[in-house]
Amino acid sequence: DKSYRLAFVGCHLPAHEGKLEKRNGALRQILDAFQSFLSGEAVVFTFGDLNYRINTTYVDALKDADAWATVVRLTTGRSVPRLAALDELTRQPQVNIDACGLAAFWTPALNFLPTSPVRYIEQVKLHRFGPTLFKKIEYKIPVLGYTDRVLF
């Protein structure tokens, strides 16, 4: 009979597009903090809001409308395999995966559409039009992603 230690590491990595290095660094710090417990015969589940995105940033999408349109088209067409191929977590170079400790983990194949937080940045601008003021509200659409993950 063999026994295993089980470790469940919940985390919330840095959010927003363009923060891949910060996410990877935070994950490395978390895993380093648990290193003494994780050595040996441990089965580790890391889960939470890992915040890995589709590999197209909002700024890039504004510069390249075709790239953003492609993501929208693939999402609307429910093309899960093609969207999963754009996953920031699995598309990063092997050197990054090794450096942040991800090489020791396995993640199930993505078989669902990426999600987007139901949030937006609302910028309210007051404009004077004659004697009355009116509000102009601008919305920023967050980048889609496979943010909530389980790695083991």
Side-chain angles (χ1 to χ4, degrees):
D1 282 341
K2 200 169 201 169
S3 62
Y4 295 92
R5 280 191 271 183
L6 298 178
F8 298 91
V9 180
C11 54
H12 188 165
L13 300 182
H16 308 297
E17 62 267 16
K19 305 283 183 170
L20 176 63
E21 289 180 22
K22 285 189 177 192
R23 281 188 273 286
N24 286 345
L27 184 59
R28 175 79 268 159
Q29 284 183 317
I30 291 166
L31 295 176
D32 284 349
F34 286 94
Q35 194 58 45
S36 62
F37 180 80
L38 302 179
S39 60
E41 301 291 332
V43 178
V44 181
F45 294 85
T46 301
F47 58 92
D49 191 350
L50 303 185
N51 272 311
Y52 289 101
R53 313 280 173 173
I54 292 293
N55 208 5
T56 298
T57 68
Y58 181 75
V59 172
D60 288 344
L62 290 177
K63 292 177 192 170
D64 184 358
D66 290 338
W68 186 248
T70 298
V71 170
V72 171
R73 183 177 44 77
L74 291 173
T75 304
T76 313
R78 307 188 64 77
S79 183
V80 174
R82 291 190 59 200
L83 286 161
L86 299 173
D87 175 38
E88 185 180 57
L89 173 66
T90 56
R91 281 195 65 187
Q92 58 185 310
Q94 187 64 42
V95 67
N96 288 7
I97 291 172
D98 293 341
C100 69
L102 284 168
F105 289 93
W106 177 78
T107 183
L110 298 168
N111 61 2
F112 56 93
L113 290 172
T115 59
S116 176
V118 183
R119 68 173 162 71
Y120 51 87
I121 296 171
E122 184 177 295
Q123 296 177 341
V124 178
K125 295 181 179 178
L126 295 176
H127 296 272
R128 184 161 292 285
F129 183 73
T132 58
L133 290 174
F134 69 94
K135 283 197 306 189
K136 179 182 177 189
I137 301 174
E138 298 174 358
Y139 299 97
K140 177 183 174 187
I141 302 167
V143 173
L144 297 173
Y146 292 101
T147 58
D148 300 313
R149 302 289 272 269
V150 176
L151 311 174
F152 52 96

